[in-house]
Amino acid sequence: MAEFYRFPQWSLTALVMTVAVCIMLQTLAASYSIRRLPAGWARRMENGMECAVLAVLFLFAALLAQVQYGLYGGFLMPGGYSLVRQAVFLLAAVLGAAAAVGTELIWPFFVIGGAVVLLPLMEEVTGTAYPFFFLTALLYFLLRSIHICLLRRRELYTQISSISIKEAVDGLHTGLLFFRPRGEILLCNRRMDGLARQLTGQPVRSGLEFQRHLKDGELRGGCAREVLGGQQVFRLPDASVWSISAHPIPMGRRTCVLLTADDVTERWDAMTLLVRQNEALEKRGRELRHTIEHLQAICEAEEIARSKGRVHDLLGQRISLLLRALRDDQQPDEALLMDFARSLPTALREDNRPSPARRLALLRETFRSMDVSVEIR
């Protein structure tokens, strides 16, 4: 470090401030690295390497402080901390090599190149060029700390942790409840807890008791048990319908139980609508069968009523003419009477009804209006 005594005071102060910034960033990088989820010995080697880099930066600060103190006291001090410098370098080299092997990446080896500046032997070999290597290593550690901070921060926000898993499970619309066979709860998301409070009036304390309560326990007011497709469902006061089923989950030598609550409201509404439509269709079918069974009697009654009306009209017309003639003291003409008598059977036989083909067409149109298709052969 004797070459640094030639530097002006302001440059040494700038170096000290740069080392301080490096220490702050490296501390943050080490914190981010340690906060990651453990994933084997390679991850632990990486975390140890970050701590070793922090120790290297502290030694950089100590060496610069020694130069500053020597200048302040007016005398030159040779480079110290030889054993500490060698021990920190060895620690950084071992952890860097282990991290490189564990992660199968080459960049941890660069830490060894930056930490080699600490060795007293390096200071003796490089001589007057030692400050250049020192500044290069310091710049490398500064850029590396910034890169590690950004990288680790992104990993923390994207990694799957126990907290993120719980948040994801709580965000599900499906209710989930894991519990051991004796009832000890392992996991219960918000949806299942809310359903339990609506059905039983209290939170889930035992998975086994909650399962028994769903089977034959008393439900809160407004809740009811229903049957949908042969399976028991629960209708809540808000008109939503939920299906709760149990599934055994093997976990090693033990078996846990998973209760799932699925929202089947749409299916329930569709089944209810289908039942109403089936009832309406059955009612219309009964009416149709009744109409078909009595169709001949209805046709005969209509024919008799039509014949009666025709006889009444014809006889009434002719009788009214005869009464009018008698009322006027007129002797009816014998020829007219004979014409009335001869034309009466012919008029009675006249039929203004539609033809059989037309009547069949009208019958088909009538049934089509009731959404019934009729095939005539």
Side-chain angles (χ1 to χ4, degrees):
M1 297 296 294
E3 299 296 330
F4 281 95
Y5 287 102
R6 300 177 181 179
F7 281 43
Q9 185 68 32
W10 64 269
S11 60
L12 291 175
T13 303
L15 279 177
V16 172
M17 295 178 63
T18 304
V19 173
V21 173
C22 289
I23 291 175
M24 293 174 57
L25 292 175
Q26 183 59 32
T27 303
L28 187 61
S31 174
Y32 281 152
S33 299
I34 295 174
R35 285 168 55 190
R36 292 181 299 170
L37 292 177
W41 66 272
R43 182 65 58 83
R44 288 191 288 270
M45 292 298 104
E46 276 190 294
N47 297 340
M49 182 184 65
E50 300 301 331
C51 295
V53 171
L54 185 60
V56 170
L57 292 175
F58 272 115
L59 277 179
F60 279 10
L63 293 175
L64 290 177
Q66 183 183 24
V67 173
Q68 289 276 52
Y69 179 75
L71 289 175
Y72 179 78
F75 54 88
L76 303 180
M77 297 179 61
Y81 312 107
S82 298
L83 294 178
V84 177
R85 290 161 68 176
Q86 294 175 13
V88 171
F89 167 75
L90 182 61
L91 178 64
V94 172
L95 293 176
V101 173
T103 59
E104 298 182 356
L105 299 174
I106 194 174
W107 63 264
F109 283 115
F110 297 158
V111 173
I112 303 175
V116 76
V117 180
L118 284 178
L119 291 176
L121 180 61
M122 181 68 177
E123 185 176 355
E124 296 176 1
V125 171
T126 56
T128 57
Y130 180 74
F132 171 77
F133 291 101
F134 187 91
L135 294 176
T136 303
L138 184 61
L139 181 61
Y140 163 72
F141 284 125
L142 176 62
L143 297 178
R144 181 185 179 280
S145 300
I146 296 174
H147 173 71
I148 293 299
C149 286
L150 297 176
L151 181 63
R152 297 290 183 263
R153 187 172 181 271
R154 185 166 58 249
E155 289 181 9
L156 285 176
Y157 278 100
T158 57
Q159 72 180 3
I160 300 178
S161 62
S162 56
I163 297 177
S164 62
I165 292 175
K166 184 63 170 65
E167 291 178 352
V169 171
D170 284 337
L172 293 176
H173 185 66
T174 302
L176 297 177
L177 174 62
F178 286 93
F179 63 92
R180 292 192 175 96
R182 294 185 179 181
E184 297 89 346
I185 296 176
L186 300 176
L187 175 65
C188 179
N189 66 349
R190 292 195 187 100
R191 176 63 63 182
M192 183 62 81
D193 185 68
L195 289 175
R197 293 177 185 272
Q198 286 183 284
L199 291 171
T200 65
Q202 56 186 0
V204 182
R205 295 188 177 90
S206 172
L208 192 59
E209 293 181 2
F210 178 62
Q211 190 178 12
R212 292 172 179 172
H213 196 111
L214 292 176
K215 185 177 181 181
D216 51 12
E218 183 179 357
L219 303 179
R220 291 187 64 189
C223 301
R225 292 182 177 89
E226 304 286 353
V227 177
L228 177 62
Q231 182 182 4
Q232 186 181 69
V233 296
F234 299 90
R235 181 163 48 84
L236 302 182
D238 58 358
S240 63
V241 182
W242 292 82
S243 171
I244 302 178
S245 54
H247 312 275
I249 305 295
M251 299 180 64
R253 297 181 180 179
R254 296 178 298 179
T255 301
C256 295
V257 181
L258 168 63
L259 282 184
T260 59
D262 300 311
D263 188 357
V264 294
T265 305
E266 294 184 359
R267 183 183 172 192
W268 172 264
D269 294 339
M271 290 293 294
T272 304
L273 178 61
L274 183 61
V275 169
R276 289 200 297 265
Q277 291 178 345
N278 286 338
E279 291 177 354
L281 186 61
E282 182 66 25
K283 180 180 178 181
R284 185 172 295 182
R286 289 194 299 267
E287 295 175 355
L288 182 61
R289 286 193 296 270
H290 182 270
T291 302
I292 293 175
E293 291 172 358
H294 297 80
L295 183 60
Q296 183 177 0
I298 293 173
C299 292
E300 293 177 355
E302 289 181 355
E303 182 66 24
I304 293 173
R306 188 181 301 108
S307 300
K308 288 181 179 180
R310 186 165 59 255
V311 171
H312 178 271
D313 293 340
L314 292 174
L315 292 178
Q317 179 182 12
R318 284 157 175 74
I319 291 173
S320 63
L321 292 175
L322 293 175
L323 289 176
R324 184 175 181 180
L326 293 175
R327 193 181 296 115
D328 295 340
D329 295 331
Q330 296 179 2
Q331 182 65 28
D333 188 4
E334 183 178 357
L336 178 63
L337 293 177
M338 293 303 294
D339 182 63
F340 280 177
R342 285 193 300 269
S343 62
L344 182 61
T346 304
L348 291 176
R349 285 195 300 269
E350 289 181 356
D351 191 0
N352 297 324
R353 293 177 300 171
S355 64
R358 177 58 182 165
R359 295 193 70 183
L360 290 177
L362 292 175
L363 181 64
R364 180 181 298 175
E365 294 177 359
T366 302
F367 279 105
R368 186 182 296 115
S369 63
M370 295 187 295
D371 295 334
V372 176
S373 176
V374 176
E375 181 182 358
I376 299 175
R377 298 183 182 178

